[in-house]
Amino acid sequence: MIKINKNISNGTAFVVCLFLLSLMTSVNIPPLQSPDEFDHIKRAYLLTKGTIILDAPAGESSGGLIDSGLNVYGDTYFKYRHHANRKISAEVTDHATHIKWAGTMSYSSAPGTGYYFPIVYIPQAIGLAAGEILDLTVDDSYRLARLFTLISVCLLLLAAFKLYAPPVIVMALLIIPMSLFQISTASLDGMATALSILAVSAFIRICIDKEHSARYLLPLLSLVVFVIASCRVNLTPMVLLIFGTYIFTRDKKAFVWGGGITLLLISWTLIALKTTVDLRVVQEVSTSTILSHYLTNPSSLAQVLFNTWSSEMWQSFYFKTFFGALGWLDGWFSDQTYAMLSALILIILAFSISIKATVYNAKITGLLLVTSISSLLLIFLALLVTWTPYPATIISGVQGRYFLIPVILLAYGLGFTASESTTVGWQRACATLVLVFLVLFSSYKTNQLLLSRYYTSSALEEVSINGYMGAADIHFGQLTEGRSFEQEFTAEKGSLYKVSLALATFIRENTGSVTFELLDSSEHALFTYVIDVSEVNDNSWHTIYTGGLNTISDERYLIRLTSTTAKEGNAITWLSTSTDLYNQGKAIVDSRAQKGDFLFQVIYFK
């Protein structure tokens, strides 16, 4: 009993530390810089007005009537996404802090949130509603939403850790930069993660106490699973934990609660699919048709999954975005930082695993592992049928941060030590010591990157990132003789320093050359460079230095790639995205305009 209380005390100390670090980190994160955070704020605002199901006017994606002041506030900060060159000045901050609630409404879409049952947005909604009622500024109201969300996350974690002391590896996963960043914002990830941990803790406590478990635990587990799975469809397999409690308690109420929650989830999913309109991705066939195709053709599904998982580019992207790609995937750490973070997590995991405990509690471990793996697979399936252009060769839209909750389920399964006789004190002590170092390292690196990304300008150059490697979901074949790949872009500065292109070699040692041209709006060549394709690395950025080429701000320019030597089987390609990632220009393939863009970066001297 003393050991359990000590572990709970350690969990409480960790939550207090997490709260303070998140509060400090929040100061350095400008508003609305988490992916889709503004859409989450809109959804929370609509909840304050009693909206459960979003509106969908003709020709519009799902959304609702939003206060005009909130929209202006969002527009103020929205322009900083995907642009690492844009730093936030004191003037911008001062302007934003004085924006008031307008009292007038205008329609604004937030289609991605239409699939979420909005109860999970209660903390954000309370903050926004309190700010509006008290006639605070929109900025103050948003800060309240952030604060109430952080407090709610920490209270949920405290409740979870009181039910069951967490393995050290779980605490480690909560402090990696990506987790720390998301918990510090008003996004949905922090609440979803904390609720998931509460559900797992309630499940384990029931399994430990068996028929003596508190009566409130099964209803608590069931309701929390509904809240989570109704906003994260890939977590639907967590209903297995409700049914699974029967193995340990022999209480038939597990089937009543499990069946009821399953019916509620199915009902909500059908309602959300029926009422939500998302025009961001236009499919020529319906989602149900795509899903039916892959379920009835498992070999096609297996091939797409294999293509995605075997891609070195996607493996690297998932790895880095799991540990931390801050902002709108435009704040990246060095390779050394990613290596250090992964090493620390692996060391803590090694100290957290007890083979004896895993064997002793095989049923609990098995349920958690099945739930984790099922959830991971559903992430890819969901984005395959809703976000990836059909027919697909690879699955687009998946980010490493989506794996956090399934990995936490896996961590509980591997680090489960319910039987105190199987707990090795020195292992937990060593894991805790490494955790302390991870806390210091992660918080330092996170805040260092945030300051650099949003506030510190380079003395030499300003970067305009118009694509990121993880967005690549298609390519237009090999750049052979007679073909041309072109990308329009709008200059932001008057002195272009270098251009980087996302190129791929098809995992070959190609030979020959590709001609890079930079043309003005009249297609007059301003700069020409010959790329030796043998020097191109697969699925990576290839940089061409233009040395300060004279460009005119807001003028249109064209990047063109051609080859007079490349033959089929001995050529490279320019990676691209099927979505309109860069709305100030378009991709052109063999003289035909595309709806998406090639992945490129242009960098200017100041």
Side-chain angles (χ1 to χ4, degrees):
M1 183 64 68
I2 295 175
K3 188 177 294 183
I4 293 176
N5 288 340
K6 181 179 179 181
N7 290 344
I8 292 175
S9 177
N10 290 342
T12 302
F14 173 80
V15 173
V16 172
C17 178
L18 180 65
F19 176 79
L20 295 175
L21 287 176
S22 299
L23 204 59
M24 177 185 71
T25 303
S26 180
V27 174
N28 292 326
I29 304 175
L32 311 175
Q33 294 308 300
S34 173
D36 302 320
E37 186 181 1
F38 191 30
D39 281 357
H40 293 303
I41 287 295
K42 293 177 190 176
R43 188 73 161 110
Y45 178 80
L46 290 170
L47 181 61
T48 69
K49 307 304 177 185
T51 300
I52 302 298
I53 298 174
L54 297 182
D55 297 327
E60 296 278 358
S61 292
S62 293
L65 294 177
I66 304 294
D67 186 278
S68 299
L70 181 58
N71 277 324
V72 171
Y73 183 77
D75 291 340
T76 301
Y77 286 106
F78 201 62
K79 62 185 178 182
Y80 293 97
R81 67 182 190 130
H82 300 318
H83 288 281
N85 65 304
R86 294 179 179 173
K87 309 301 178 181
I88 297 179
S89 65
E91 289 77 14
V92 169
T93 301
D94 182 66
H95 164 72
T97 56
H98 287 88
I99 296 174
K100 302 284 288 185
W101 293 100
T104 57
M105 300 293 184
S106 59
Y107 185 82
S108 187
S109 63
T113 66
Y115 301 102
Y116 306 156
F117 192 72
I119 191 173
V120 74
Y121 290 107
I122 286 177
Q124 294 95 324
I126 291 174
L128 294 174
E132 192 172 19
I133 292 171
L134 296 174
D135 197 28
L136 302 178
T137 65
V138 175
D139 183 74
D140 288 336
S141 305
Y142 167 79
R143 303 287 176 178
L144 278 178
R146 261 195 191 179
L147 178 62
F148 288 158
T149 303
L150 175 59
I151 291 173
S152 299
V153 166
C154 291
L155 289 176
L156 288 169
L157 290 175
L158 284 173
F161 294 170
K162 185 176 181 181
L163 286 175
Y164 176 73
V168 180
I169 183 61
V170 171
M171 292 187 281
L173 291 168
L174 288 171
I175 205 66
I176 59 175
M178 194 75 252
S179 300
L180 184 60
F181 177 81
Q182 289 295 91
I183 290 172
S184 303
T185 69
S187 192
L188 192 62
D189 285 20
M191 284 292 294
T193 301
L195 285 165
S196 298
I197 291 174
L198 178 60
V200 175
S201 299
F203 166 73
I204 293 177
R205 178 48 55 195
I206 292 173
C207 296
I208 295 172
D209 295 344
K210 297 182 174 62
E211 64 274 9
H212 301 297
S213 60
R215 292 183 178 180
Y216 73 89
L217 285 176
L218 181 59
L220 173 66
L221 169 62
S222 303
L223 294 176
V224 171
V225 166
F226 171 75
V227 174
I228 303 164
S230 64
C231 69
R232 289 285 188 266
V233 67
N234 67 289
L235 295 177
T236 302
M238 289 188 74
V239 296
L240 293 174
L241 303 183
I242 304 174
F243 290 109
T245 60
Y246 175 79
I247 299 173
F248 304 92
T249 64
R250 299 299 173 183
D251 187 348
K252 294 181 180 179
K253 290 180 182 178
F255 297 109
V256 176
W257 279 101
I261 295 301
T262 301
L263 289 175
L264 283 175
L265 287 173
I266 293 173
S267 300
W268 170 251
T269 300
L270 292 175
I271 292 171
L273 288 172
K274 182 72 174 178
T275 59
T276 301
V277 177
D278 190 348
L279 302 179
R280 295 175 299 174
V281 177
V282 180
Q283 298 278 27
E284 295 181 358
V285 294
S286 67
T287 298
S288 58
T289 300
I290 298 172
L291 178 61
S292 176
H293 166 77
Y294 286 114
L295 292 181
T296 56
N297 295 273
S299 60
S300 297
L301 176 60
Q303 185 62 54
V304 175
L305 289 171
F306 175 79
N307 293 342
T308 305
W309 294 343
S310 63
S311 167
E312 291 184 8
M313 180 192 73
W314 285 110
Q315 291 170 8
S316 175
F317 179 74
Y318 297 151
F319 170 76
K320 291 182 178 179
T321 54
F322 176 80
F323 283 101
L326 309 187
W328 285 77
L329 300 184
D330 49 25
W332 300 85
F333 295 101
S334 66
D335 289 344
Q336 293 79 4
T337 298
Y338 289 115
M340 176 62 78
L341 289 167
S342 60
L344 292 172
I345 289 293
L346 289 174
I347 292 170
I348 293 171
L349 176 62
F351 283 124
S352 298
I353 294 176
S354 170
I355 302 299
K356 186 176 180 180
T358 301
V359 173
Y360 184 84
N361 302 287
K363 293 179 182 178
I364 300 176
T365 298
L367 278 168
L368 290 171
L369 294 185
V370 169
T371 304
S372 172
I373 294 170
S374 301
S375 177
L376 283 170
L377 289 173
L378 277 179
I379 292 173
F380 288 92
L381 181 61
L383 287 168
L384 174 61
V385 301
T386 61
W387 191 255
T388 305
Y390 176 83
T393 55
I394 59 173
I395 301 171
S396 60
V398 179
Q399 298 176 29
R401 65 186 176 94
Y402 300 164
F403 304 154
L404 179 63
I405 295 175
V407 170
I408 285 176
L409 291 170
L410 182 65
Y412 269 105
L414 296 176
F416 180 71
T417 54
S419 172
E420 287 301 308
S421 63
T422 64
T423 301
V424 181
W426 69 267
Q427 284 183 306
R428 188 173 181 93
C430 291
T432 302
L433 184 63
V434 180
L435 175 65
V436 171
F437 182 79
L438 175 63
V439 169
L440 297 174
F441 181 78
S442 178
S443 58
Y444 172 76
K445 286 294 184 179
T446 299
N447 285 279
Q448 181 187 51
L449 178 59
L450 289 171
L451 292 173
S452 173
R453 164 61 184 88
Y454 290 108
Y455 305 105
T456 306
S457 297
S458 169
L460 296 177
E461 62 191 37
E462 186 163 328
V463 182
S464 177
I465 299 180
N466 304 310
Y468 55 96
M469 189 67 72
D473 58 7
I474 61 170
H475 64 75
F476 294 100
Q478 300 177 52
L479 181 59
T480 54
E481 182 179 356
R483 302 196 69 193
S484 64
F485 292 169
E486 300 171 314
Q487 174 69 45
E488 291 183 338
F489 73 95
T490 302
E492 297 182 21
K493 290 284 182 178
S495 184
L496 197 151
Y497 174 50
K498 61 183 179 180
V499 178
S500 295
L501 312 175
L503 302 180
T505 68
F506 299 97
I507 321 178
R508 294 191 302 252
E509 294 292 334
N510 298 304
T511 59
S513 63
V514 165
T515 300
F516 167 92
E517 294 179 281
L518 190 66
L519 306 100
D520 61 18
S521 57
S522 301
E523 297 200 19
H524 171 70
L526 303 176
F527 180 86
T528 302
Y529 179 82
V530 178
I531 302 172
D532 182 351
V533 298
S534 66
E535 298 177 354
V536 174
N537 295 316
D538 191 43
N539 296 327
S540 63
W541 294 105
H542 190 83
T543 300
I544 298 98
Y545 291 87
T546 58
L549 187 70
N550 186 26
T551 51
I552 301 173
S553 182
D554 296 326
E555 286 288 316
R556 285 292 179 100
Y557 292 89
L558 186 71
I559 299 169
R560 176 181 293 163
L561 295 187
T562 56
S563 178
T564 58
T565 62
K567 305 296 182 183
E568 190 77 20
N570 186 37
I572 64 172
T573 193
W574 188 358
L575 297 175
S576 56
T577 171
S578 58
T579 57
D580 189 13
L581 184 67
Y582 178 64
N583 57 18
Q584 299 180 67
K586 61 180 178 292
I588 303 169
V589 177
D590 300 331
S591 302
R592 296 181 62 182
Q594 308 296 317
K595 71 173 184 178
D597 297 288
F598 285 109
L599 299 188
F600 71 105
Q601 301 174 352
V602 289
I603 300 170
Y604 305 87
F605 279 120
K606 287 189 174 180

